[in-house]
């Protein structure tokens, strides 16, 4: 398993384009990965098997891989099959749904993590939506607790910026490192997330999603 400490205090950049979008090709993702690494990203987060493979081939920094699938509640690397495929694509960290919701294959998070780790020497990031999720995910064997799903599962409000309260709560309750992720839109919010107890901060949209960023500016113009 990779040395997680190399991420401590660092920035992770999520490089995702969504299905049907103009930038959604593995080649563009690979170039985006290289661009953010040049800017100082300590690791990258990439969605989809082809994109994970392309990212692993394009950089030396660790790749957090995930596979979003389905329209159900649980869509971030929802099953063991998805998790194994992400690991086989070369991800150093496999991000999985880390909520307490029923998974489509009927396995528990603990069963999923155990079976994945039996086959691959990977770290597991649990994408959580609440403190209870984080507690259970740590018990289940997750190496990193992400606040990724805060505001998207009904357990926490969708704050304007990152859910600093949840970061503080998880950091104060759990021993596993906390990845602040979700709605970190400005550098000062990233710094605030670290100050709240995050061990690293993952930023997506505000760095790698020009369509959304363009919309922010357009709206400001009225
Ligand atoms: C909720 C969900 O599906 N989050 C996804 C997880 O991979 C991505 O769509 C986000 O872009 C990522 O978490 C980074 O967050 P933000 O883009 O807000 O910086």
């Amino acid at each position: 398993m990779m040395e997680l400490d190399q991420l401590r205090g660092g920035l992770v950049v999520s490089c995702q384009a969504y299905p049907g979008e103009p930038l959604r090709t593995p080649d563009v993702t690979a170039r985006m990965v290289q661009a953010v690494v040049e800017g100082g990203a300590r690791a990258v987060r990439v969605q989809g098997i082809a994109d994970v493979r392309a990212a692993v081939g394009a950089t030396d920094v660790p790749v957090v891989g995930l596979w979003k699938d389905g329209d159900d509640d649980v869509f971030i690397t929802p099953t063991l099959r998805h998790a194994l495929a992400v690991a086989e694509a070369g991800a150093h960290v496999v991000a999985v749904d880390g909520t307490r919701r029923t998974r489509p294959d009927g396995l528990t998070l603990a069963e999923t993590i155990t079976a994945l780790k039996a086959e691959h020497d990977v770290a597991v990031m649990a994408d959580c939506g609440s403190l209870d999720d984080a507690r259970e995910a740590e018990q289940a064997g997750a190496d990193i607790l992400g606040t990724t799903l805060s505001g998207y599962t009904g357990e926490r409000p969708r704050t304007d910026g990152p859910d600093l309260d949840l970061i503080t709560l998880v950091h104060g309750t759990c021993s596993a490192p906390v990845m602040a992720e979700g709605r970190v839109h400005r550098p000062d919010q990233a710094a605030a997330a670290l100050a709240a107890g995050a061990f690293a901060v993952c930023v997506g949209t505000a760095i790698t999603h020009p369509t959304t960023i363009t919309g922010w500016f357009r709206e400001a113009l009225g």
Side-chain angles (χ1 to χ4, degrees):
M1 185 170 105
M2 64 165 278
E3 184 52 64
L4 290 181
D5 216 50
Q6 64 184 287
L7 302 184
R8 186 175 298 281
L11 178 66
V12 179
V13 178
S14 178
C15 303
Q16 299 187 33
Y18 299 99
E21 291 187 342
L23 299 184
R24 173 122 199 98
T25 79
D27 180 54
V28 168
T29 301
R31 286 172 180 275
M32 187 70 90
V33 161
Q34 290 170 335
V36 301
V37 170
E38 279 192 20
R42 210 77 78 71
V44 293
R45 178 169 158 121
V46 172
Q47 191 287 125
I49 299 305
D51 287 48
V52 170
R53 213 173 270 128
V56 168
T59 185
D60 291 332
V61 306
V63 174
V64 181
L66 62 147
W67 177 359
K68 286 185 184 170
D69 195 20
D71 307 318
D72 278 346
D73 287 347
V74 178
F75 63 90
I76 294 181
T77 321
T79 70
L80 175 60
R81 177 177 71 85
H82 292 82
L84 289 168
V86 171
E88 273 149 29
H92 306 86
V93 180
V94 178
V96 300
D97 180 285
T99 69
R100 308 185 315 288
R101 300 172 295 188
T102 303
R103 312 173 82 78
D105 60 2
L107 296 181
T108 63
L109 180 58
E111 288 166 343
T112 305
I113 293 175
T114 303
L116 173 63
K117 288 194 171 206
E119 300 249 340
H120 296 280
D121 186 24
V122 290
V124 173
M125 172 171 172
D127 288 331
C128 300
S130 67
L131 176 60
D132 286 342
D133 284 349
R135 272 202 192 108
E136 285 213 10
E138 177 166 48
Q139 287 298 315
D143 303 288
I144 302 171
L145 305 171
T147 58
T148 320
L149 290 173
S150 172
Y152 303 106
T153 64
E155 289 199 284
R156 302 280 308 171
R158 195 173 302 187
T159 47
D160 232 13
D163 188 347
L164 296 174
D165 290 344
L166 181 61
I167 295 164
T168 304
L169 282 169
V170 177
H171 173 64
T173 309
C174 301
S175 324
V178 183
M179 179 78 72
E181 175 165 343
R183 303 183 301 283
V184 181
H185 289 165
R186 300 191 315 260
D188 63 292
Q189 293 173 329
L194 271 196
F199 127 101
V201 181
C202 179
V203 176
T205 305
I207 297 178
T208 63
H209 202 255
T211 306
T212 301
I213 303 163
T214 304
W216 293 344
F217 281 88
R218 190 204 59 231
E219 273 168 31
L221 300 186

